[in-house]
Amino acid sequence: MAIDRLAWRTLAARPLRSLLTVVGVALGVGVLAASLTLGAALDAAIDRTVSTMVGRADLRVSAFLEPGLSPEAIGTIVETPGVLEAAAVIERRTFLASVPGSPAPDAVTVLGVDPLTYPSLHDLPIAAGSGLTDPDEPVALITESLAESDGYGLGSRLSVLGPGGPLGVRVVGIVPGAGPLPQVGRTVILPIDTARAALAISGATRVDLLLEPGSAEAVLASLAARMAEPYVLASPADLARSLRASAAAFEGMAALVAAVVLFVGAFLIVNTLSMTVGERAREVGLLRAAGATRGQASRFVLSGALLLGVSGSLAGVLAGGVLAVLLAAGVSSATGLPAVVTPVDLRSAAIAAAVGVAVTVMAAIEPALRAAQISPVEALRARIDLPHISRGRLGWIGLVFIVVGGLALLAWPPSVAPAGGDVQAALAVYLVLLAATLLSPFLLRPLARLLGLPLAVFVAVEERLARGSVGRDRSRAALTLGSLVVGLAMIVALGWSAQAARASAFAWLDDVVPGDELISSIRPIAADEGIVETLAAVPGVERVTPIGTFGLAYRGQRVDAAAIVGADFLADGRLTVLAGERAAALRALDEGGAAILPSAAATALGLGLDDTMRVATGRDQFLDLRVVAIVERSLPGGGGEAVLVGWPDAAASLGVAGADAFAVRIAPAALEPTRDAVRRTAATFALESNPIERVQGAVAEALARVFGVFDALAFVAVIIAALGIVNTLTMGVVERVREIGVLRAIGMTRVQVMRMVVVESTVLGVVGVVLGGATGLAVGAVLLGLGARFDGATGLPWPALGAAAILGLVLPALAALYPSLLAARVSIVRALRFE
Amino acid sequence: MQPRASLALAPTLARPRTTDPENTSTAAPDGATMLPIIEAHEVTKRYQLGRTSVEALRGVTMAVEAGEFVALMGPSGSGKSTLLQLLGGLDRPTSGRVVFEGRDISRLSDSKATRLRRERTGFVFQAFNLIPLLSVEENIALPFAIGGQPGTRRDWNDRVRQVIELVELQGKERHRPDQLSQGEQQRVAVARALVTRPSVLLADEPTGNLDYTNSGELLDALWRSCQEEGQTIVLVTHDARAAAYADRVLVIGDGRISDEIVLGRRADHSAAPLIARLAQIGL
């Protein structure tokens, strides 16, 4: 206990350094805790969403084609042996009629439910008013979120727009929160027959089933044998898996960034404890001389580390809770899942704290072993030279970080692991960062010499002294510079990833959308509604291309598809053809029996040029589509790039009722006035028209929200690096008190002394920027190359490099403030007495 | 206060002088009056150590003439290093005045004191206090690099070479401190202190960490600078052999100057007469 108390008093004697280390541990643990808490919140959100969406159902049978399941198909499903309960549901997007003159409100989702069967499978709590009772009464329930955003209440009259004409209903009840479709929120729940009348649907879009226990296989077989229409089966597990897959990329990246922040935090810990041992070598030696065993000397260090680790981890858990709450909105926005974060998620907090303490203690093992090796004789010398400690430390750093990497893999989100590519990318990123860290001390001297030249022009002596000082302790430089390099590298890499994603999305839209304005509809608009002709008649409009998105049933899976007019794409010069003859292929689409595949889909489906793609159109009915071209990119579908087919096939064989988008090309000479005219015309059809730039802007905004979360986490790493710089510079000042005293004695002014420390920090910063930039590009290349999230790189990430440069120069300069003041305040007389 | 005794041991080279608290001007052998280069008038220095106040100097009055080699001797804790620090502008007296080249430096601002140290004084300490990452040449040229020195870079280089010769370190210009013996390191420190041609060289136990041979070489170098360049030197030492190089020895005890022993400028540096005198006064 005496040794422990001595260790704790040693920490208390260096309050600033101890505080910085605790803050470093806290930030590392905080980011890890936040990442785990957000992961847990996402998992909970997925479970909640699945439970809300599916309720007690064991199986969901959804329509594959646009018109939905027919009444006959519903009958077949309901009568399947093994089905205990069945609830047919309609789910469609539409608009509510607005007050004339006021702007059109956002779309709503109509959920048509049978008041008799729905409650047996789904809970539908009512916050105010009453529930539904009859399947055909003209009443509605609305969600609280819709009521709040659009100002509706009990008794309000709604006019639901649909092919069956506007249908008036009265609001009789309010459903709490976002209601039964949490990802949508703006939901109007109608009795099913009322919904059928409003939306002109005879059946339903899906049927939820409660099955007899153990009958699932038999039900599936029976459905396969008896269903005449194409359908899609989904179980709650499938839904959860699909939602987890959509959140996995985000969770994976968040976990990677958290591992990196922990990595940087560990630098600070190793550095601090090593400094403490170096500084306390004499005391350790004296303890040994007084009879302390090697074990006690090690305990002296480990005990201090444990205190730092526990304090930092506790603070980190609290910081993580705050960080998680702050980032929750960004996470919800990035994943589309309503993540509700509890500030203290016990499991996440426990894991993060345990990892924090473990990493701290692990980081302390090397300094502890070194402490044990200090001989009393060595310690009693006037000046203890411990270069062998520095050399040995570098190897240990490598080992510690390999173990940290292993721990990170163990803590890797389970939903991400099966993807494989993400884990590989994470490992590759980790190795690149480790390599950069271990190489940085060897590159420090030559780079400092080279990059210090401009500084030397203005502050020659300060630059010379500072340059020598930064390279004095190689392993300390590795840790200090390494953490800065890693932090800045993550800023650059994430910036590059964001830029590549944005550029890729922009290039994609430019390459595939044949228009300057994109008009979207939430319902299919049939060719005979005359919208194309009306829009084409607007002066200045060159071309109007209808686009209909839908799904193809190919080999039992759903493939995103889009119906297009080949001639329009040919005339507009869209699509980059990789294989096939462009003009012939686009003409073939309009003739029918042909498909154009994006290269990603061609690879995924194993299809090549001139292969036949046999898609299901009904029970034992198929349509053969010849692959006439493979293009670099295609129109975006629901989940990926769409297979392109011509309108004749889409309308006649694939059940596509109409277009849900129109691309309008405008003559360049009259772009702006024509745009206005197009928007006005679109508004008369209750359609929304957006310039393609706005669509790009929306994409950029969505990406910015996702990467904003990662940037915030990476910024924490840079902050930890800055703390490391404060620590190292302060230690440097303390170690060089006598030198500083001499410099002051021979005429160096306080300002020059301060400048020397700031220049030292600046040299570190400049070298950090160069190495961090280079490492960031390497990491970015790994993320772009292996992550497979972004199809195509872009130019160098100058904005991210610029941001890293600013951070790398400003933060070290700020970090140098305190140590430089400390150096300037050195009393010459005391310094010269200093031992 | 007045010194208790003044004993001229070698009148051939010595320039006898009197030290009067009211009038510290010095009477040269030819009878002309010379202004001292440094004077201390009733200087006290008190340190506050927690609740305890320690009085290191209790009213010291003394003077050093230009070109003179003065040694300050006394037991540990007598205040000799404190006095040296006050004379060189490293610290300020609690009361009294320190006059350097006719200017009161007792209340100089930090920047003015820095300038004084940079331009007019040179320091040598017991620990060699070289900057380990700089070469011998760079360490010696450091006061020039720090700035404020007149002359061109060529003048500086010439002067650096000159002092390297003076301390006999030719051929070791590019060595780092850790590649030198302790004696050589201390001679680098002396060269660094002399390079700016300071008015006064202040040396605090410069031989304290050196062996007999290295001490001798260092003291020879100091004496040569005094003899050949007219360098004023104030040396704090415990060592009678080192003090024997001085023209005059001021003995400090309990924060006051208790004795003055005038040795005169002598080429043989024999310590015997001084040791005898010190024994006489019980030091």
Side-chain angles (χ1 to χ4, degrees):
Chain A
M1 271 314 286
I3 292 285
D4 296 333
R5 272 200 302 274
L6 187 61
W8 300 338
R9 283 176 64 180
T10 301
L11 295 179
R14 296 278 179 275
L16 176 76
R17 194 183 317 150
S18 301
L19 179 70
L20 287 177
T21 311
V22 167
V23 172
V25 175
L27 287 176
V29 169
V31 168
L32 183 65
S35 174
L36 291 172
T37 304
L38 289 171
L42 278 177
D43 272 350
I46 287 167
D47 290 344
R48 215 170 33 248
T49 303
V50 169
S51 156
T52 313
M53 286 169 72
V54 183
R56 288 174 290 283
D58 299 313
L59 192 63
R60 168 171 286 183
V61 184
S62 301
F64 191 84
L65 299 176
E66 185 65 31
L69 295 165
S70 65
E72 295 74 31
I74 295 171
T76 307
I77 294 165
V78 171
E79 287 157 16
T80 303
V83 172
L84 291 178
E85 299 278 353
V89 176
I90 292 173
E91 186 182 328
R92 276 285 156 80
R93 304 245 301 153
T94 187
F95 285 104
L96 299 177
S98 60
V99 179
S102 63
D106 290 338
V108 296
T109 297
V110 166
L111 191 69
V113 302
D114 186 337
L116 304 175
T117 58
Y118 190 78
S120 62
L121 293 181
H122 300 274
D123 293 328
L124 192 58
I126 303 294
S130 58
L132 304 175
T133 49
D134 297 322
D136 59 354
E137 60 179 339
V139 295
L141 307 177
I142 58 171
T143 55
E144 260 179 351
S145 49
L146 175 62
E148 279 167 19
S149 65
D150 291 24
Y152 294 120
L154 288 175
S156 294
R157 302 288 304 180
L158 308 180
S159 185
V160 181
L161 299 179
L167 183 85
V169 290
R170 184 170 52 85
V171 176
V172 294
I174 309 279
V175 176
L181 301 173
Q183 287 177 283
V184 177
R186 294 170 57 82
T187 306
V188 178
I189 302 155
L190 299 177
I192 193 162
D193 288 340
T194 309
R196 282 176 179 142
L199 301 169
I201 292 174
S202 57
T205 51
R206 63 170 191 259
V207 182
D208 290 341
L209 302 176
L210 180 68
L211 306 179
E212 280 177 23
S215 65
E217 291 298 321
V219 169
L220 295 182
S222 174
L223 285 174
R226 294 159 54 241
M227 284 287 283
E229 295 170 11
Y231 60 91
V232 178
L233 291 171
S235 65
D238 294 335
L239 268 177
R241 198 175 304 125
S242 133
L243 288 171
R244 286 211 161 84
S246 70
F250 179 87
E251 281 191 87
M253 187 65 111
L256 172 64
V257 178
V260 169
V261 174
L262 198 64
F263 181 86
V264 174
F267 280 24
L268 191 64
I269 302 162
V270 175
N271 213 1
T272 302
L273 294 173
S274 298
M275 283 192 264
T276 304
V277 171
E279 196 185 29
R280 294 304 201 194
R282 186 186 298 275
E283 284 170 34
V284 174
L286 290 173
L287 282 176
R288 296 271 292 119
T293 62
R294 288 187 191 280
Q296 284 175 314
S298 293
R299 185 174 171 159
F300 177 73
V301 176
L302 286 173
S303 183
L306 193 64
L307 183 65
L308 289 175
V310 170
S311 318
S313 296
L314 288 177
V317 164
L318 295 177
V322 175
L323 192 61
V325 170
L326 291 176
L327 295 179
V331 172
S332 298
S333 163
T335 59
L337 290 164
V340 179
V341 170
T342 46
V344 181
D345 174 57
L346 282 180
R347 186 174 168 275
S348 306
I351 292 176
V355 170
V357 173
V359 169
T360 311
V361 171
M362 245 170 39
I365 291 175
E366 188 268 353
L369 292 176
R370 295 286 162 194
Q373 285 169 16
I374 292 171
S375 77
V377 175
E378 191 177 31
L380 295 174
R381 280 187 205 139
R383 183 175 180 278
I384 300 172
D385 188 20
L386 300 169
H388 59 286
I389 290 183
S390 300
R391 279 196 298 275
R393 211 185 296 157
L394 271 182
W396 185 257
I397 292 164
L399 187 63
V400 166
F401 296 123
I402 287 168
V403 176
V404 170
L407 278 178
L409 271 184
L410 287 178
W412 199 252
S415 55
V416 182
D422 285 311
V423 178
Q424 283 171 23
L427 267 180
V429 165
Y430 199 77
L431 288 176
V432 168
L433 295 176
L434 181 59
T437 306
L438 294 178
L439 280 177
S440 58
F442 300 98
L443 297 173
L444 178 58
R445 279 196 188 186
L447 278 177
R449 191 176 187 87
L450 183 70
L451 301 171
L453 286 177
L455 285 171
V457 173
F458 304 103
V459 283
V461 68
E462 291 90 335
E463 189 274 338
R464 176 71 188 88
L465 292 168
R467 178 156 46 85
S469 185
V470 292
R472 203 182 292 220
D473 184 332
R474 199 167 263 191
S475 62
R476 194 188 299 167
L479 293 165
T480 312
L481 180 62
S483 57
L484 184 64
V485 166
V486 169
L488 295 178
M490 287 311 288
I491 299 274
V492 171
L494 291 173
W496 200 13
S497 299
Q499 180 178 319
R502 205 164 37 236
S504 179
F506 287 8
W508 183 11
L509 290 171
D510 274 343
D511 188 42
V512 301
V513 177
D516 302 298
E517 287 274 318
L518 194 65
I519 298 173
S520 53
S521 167
I522 56 169
R523 69 174 179 86
I525 294 179
D528 59 8
E529 292 186 43
I531 289 180
V532 171
E533 292 73 13
T534 310
L535 287 168
V538 172
V541 170
E542 286 185 342
R543 197 176 304 106
V544 180
T545 306
I547 297 168
T549 54
F550 60 101
L552 282 175
Y554 178 66
R555 290 185 186 160
Q557 56 182 317
R558 187 186 190 280
V559 177
D560 283 314
I564 63 165
V565 179
D568 287 346
F569 276 71
L570 186 60
D572 206 73
R574 296 305 98 186
L575 302 179
T576 304
V577 176
L578 300 176
E581 207 278 307
R582 175 188 174 75
L586 287 166
R587 272 196 294 270
L589 283 194
D590 293 344
E591 289 161 8
I596 293 177
L597 266 60
S599 63
T603 310
L605 301 174
L607 289 167
L609 191 64
D610 290 330
D611 284 352
T612 298
M613 185 179 184
R614 170 164 286 198
V615 297
T617 57
R619 182 175 167 78
D620 297 331
Q621 293 176 339
F622 298 96
L623 171 68
D624 284 340
L625 298 170
R626 188 170 61 88
V627 178
V628 290
I630 292 172
V631 292
E632 190 181 7
R633 301 184 186 95
S634 168
L635 289 165
E641 291 180 73
V643 170
L644 303 177
V645 298
W647 272 107
D649 290 327
S653 311
L654 299 168
V656 181
D660 50 15
F662 300 90
V664 180
R665 180 64 76 196
I666 298 169
L671 190 61
E672 286 312 315
T674 308
R675 274 188 162 162
D676 290 341
V678 166
R679 275 173 218 157
R680 283 195 298 275
T681 308
T684 61
F685 289 96
L687 300 177
E688 194 181 352
S689 180
N690 284 302
I692 196 76
E693 295 81 8
R694 189 179 298 166
V695 179
Q696 289 175 334
V699 170
E701 209 174 286
L703 287 170
R705 279 198 297 271
V706 175
F707 281 94
V709 174
F710 302 144
D711 282 340
L713 298 180
F715 185 68
V716 175
V718 183
I719 295 287
I720 296 177
L723 295 179
I725 293 175
V726 176
N727 219 348
T728 296
L729 291 179
T730 307
M731 184 67 193
V733 169
V734 170
E735 279 180 349
R736 285 181 293 149
V737 157
R738 181 183 281 275
E739 254 176 67
I740 292 167
V742 171
L743 289 169
R744 292 274 292 124
I746 63 175
M748 196 172 231
T749 62
R750 286 186 198 277
V751 173
Q752 281 179 307
V753 170
M754 286 179 74
R755 221 156 43 201
M756 180 178 73
V757 178
V758 173
V759 167
E760 184 179 334
S761 189
T762 306
V763 167
L764 265 180
V766 171
V767 175
V769 166
V770 170
L771 287 179
T775 310
L777 292 179
V779 171
V782 170
L783 288 177
L784 293 173
L786 294 179
R789 278 186 281 278
F790 316 112
D791 60 345
T794 178
L796 284 177
W798 293 115
L801 285 168
I806 292 170
L807 281 176
L809 295 175
V810 172
L811 281 181
L814 290 176
L817 279 182
Y818 170 76
S820 65
L821 285 171
L822 191 69
R825 282 206 301 258
V826 162
S827 149
I828 304 171
V829 173
R830 281 192 196 163
L832 297 173
R833 256 190 245 140
F834 182 85
E835 277 293 333
Chain B
M1 64 155 283
Q2 292 286 345
R4 283 193 314 207
S6 177
L7 176 65
L9 294 170
T12 45
L13 285 173
R15 284 164 284 185
R17 57 208 53 77
T18 58
T19 310
D20 183 315
E22 299 308 315
N23 179 11
T24 51
S25 62
T26 311
D30 56 5
T33 300
M34 291 182 68
L35 279 176
I37 198 160
I38 316 178
E39 304 158 68
H41 297 273
E42 289 297 328
V43 167
T44 67
K45 181 67 185 176
R46 196 174 302 117
Y47 293 108
Q48 199 66 35
L49 300 173
R51 291 180 181 178
T52 317
S53 177
V54 176
E55 199 157 23
L57 295 177
R58 302 164 185 256
V60 170
T61 296
M62 51 84 72
V64 177
E65 188 188 315
E68 195 181 6
F69 191 150
V70 173
L72 300 177
M73 289 193 79
S76 295
S78 58
K80 52 191 187 300
S81 289
T82 304
L83 178 59
L84 189 84
Q85 287 156 0
L86 297 179
L87 294 178
L90 286 177
D91 207 351
R92 292 176 183 172
T94 307
S95 68
R97 290 187 308 135
V98 176
V99 178
F100 192 102
E101 293 183 323
R103 188 165 61 134
D104 187 351
I105 63 166
S106 318
R107 297 289 174 266
L108 280 188
S109 67
D110 182 73
S111 59
K112 284 182 177 159
T114 302
R115 192 165 175 167
L116 172 87
R117 292 195 299 271
R118 183 190 287 177
E119 295 175 0
R120 312 303 302 156
T121 66
F123 285 95
V124 181
F125 305 98
Q126 179 175 352
F128 318 128
N129 290 332
L130 301 179
I131 308 298
L133 55 100
L134 299 182
S135 67
V136 164
E137 213 168 28
E138 287 175 313
N139 262 295
I140 294 174
L142 200 55
F144 289 136
I146 285 172
Q149 306 297 340
T152 62
R153 185 166 288 277
R154 194 172 177 172
D155 295 336
W156 297 352
N157 290 339
D158 289 345
R159 178 60 183 159
V160 168
R161 270 196 298 277
Q162 210 176 350
V163 290
I164 284 176
E165 280 172 27
L166 184 72
V167 298
E168 296 176 343
L169 281 172
Q170 298 96 316
K172 305 223 164 165
E173 292 86 345
R174 299 198 181 280
H175 285 46
R176 301 234 170 204
D178 57 6
Q179 296 169 314
L180 301 177
S181 71
Q182 292 194 325
E184 287 171 330
Q185 288 187 47
Q186 191 62 305
R187 278 187 276 148
V188 175
V190 168
R192 184 180 63 193
L194 290 173
V195 75
T196 56
R197 299 181 201 277
S199 302
V200 180
L201 176 81
L202 301 143
D204 191 354
E205 307 253 19
T207 57
N209 284 348
L210 300 181
D211 59 23
Y212 185 86
T213 313
N214 279 315
S215 295
E217 285 172 1
L218 182 92
L219 291 165
D220 285 343
L222 287 177
W223 195 81
R224 270 198 306 279
S225 73
C226 188
Q227 182 70 10
E228 293 167 16
E229 297 196 334
Q231 180 65 55
T232 309
I233 297 176
V234 180
L235 171 80
V236 166
T237 184
H238 276 113
D239 180 5
R241 178 172 163 247
Y245 279 73
D247 304 331
R248 188 158 58 103
V249 178
L250 297 175
V251 180
I252 303 182
D254 199 25
R256 296 183 176 88
I257 292 182
S258 54
D259 275 293
E260 180 185 43
I261 303 165
V262 178
L263 301 171
R265 183 68 49 92
R266 300 164 307 128
D268 66 350
H269 316 307
S270 163
L274 177 62
I275 291 170
R277 177 65 192 136
L278 291 173
Q280 241 177 25
I281 61 175
L283 193 69

